[in-house]
Amino acid sequence: MAQGHNNAFGVSIFQDNVAQFQTYANNSLAAINFEPLYKVDFIFDKNTLNDYDIAQIANLDSYWGQEIPEPWIAIKNLPLTSSNLDLLKGTTIKISFDDKQLSLIKFKSTEDEFIELFSEYGCTFVNIVGKCCINDWNNSP
């Protein structure tokens, strides 16, 4: 049984049919890639990421609205080490750079997620998707 209105959908299945449904779903969806896919406006990497471009994007915030969505950026293959990672107040991850006046902040994180960013070899590479903001904290952007 399936029912719901245009913006909601619910499904009900008899307990006896759950295993059969799981087998069907696994076989039918085996060829589908479930990795996240993001539509972004700008793509940076370690060499092209710079505080000037991020600030320019963030300074356009007064233009964003109903017809002009806030842009998203991607940072590909960003190397992380223990020296540029901090866990603040147990729920905020901060990534800092020695050569830039730029930090990346992830709110509502977990200590487990923070630990996963470390590599036993000293460096791990991540892909990041987010928005550009200027955050002045203690008179320091």
Side-chain angles (χ1 to χ4, degrees):
M1 176 192 75
Q3 65 182 40
H5 55 80
N6 290 342
N7 293 322
F9 180 76
V11 176
S12 176
I13 187 169
F14 291 113
Q15 183 68 35
D16 295 344
N17 295 335
V18 171
Q20 182 182 350
F21 173 74
Q22 288 174 328
T23 300
Y24 167 79
N26 288 338
N27 291 334
S28 297
L29 303 175
I32 296 177
N33 181 354
F34 286 99
E35 298 224 357
L37 180 65
Y38 299 95
K39 181 179 178 186
V40 298
D41 301 286
F42 303 96
I43 299 174
F44 296 95
D45 62 26
K46 178 186 179 219
N47 298 321
T48 59
L49 181 65
N50 66 80
D51 36 350
Y52 177 80
D53 288 343
I54 300 301
Q56 291 299 308
I57 295 168
N59 282 327
L60 295 172
D61 64 342
S62 63
Y63 294 101
W64 305 328
Q66 183 175 359
E67 298 297 323
I68 303 175
E70 185 174 1
W72 286 77
I73 67 163
I75 306 169
K76 295 174 64 173
N77 298 314
L78 183 66
L80 300 181
T81 65
S82 60
S83 65
N84 65 341
L85 282 170
D86 289 305
L87 184 62
L88 310 174
K89 297 185 180 181
T91 61
T92 301
I93 294 176
K94 180 179 180 182
I95 302 170
S96 304
F97 303 94
D98 293 333
D99 60 337
K100 298 174 177 47
Q101 290 187 332
L102 173 68
S103 296
L104 307 177
I105 304 288
K106 181 176 185 217
F107 298 104
K108 298 180 183 174
S109 187
T110 64
E111 188 173 341
D112 288 339
E113 185 176 16
F114 177 75
I115 291 169
E116 287 178 20
L117 293 175
F118 284 93
S119 168
E120 63 186 82
Y121 304 109
C123 182
T124 187
F125 292 85
V126 296
N127 295 321
I128 296 175
V129 174
K131 298 177 182 180
C132 301
C133 300
I134 295 177
N135 182 16
D136 289 324
W137 187 76
N138 279 350
N139 294 321
S140 176

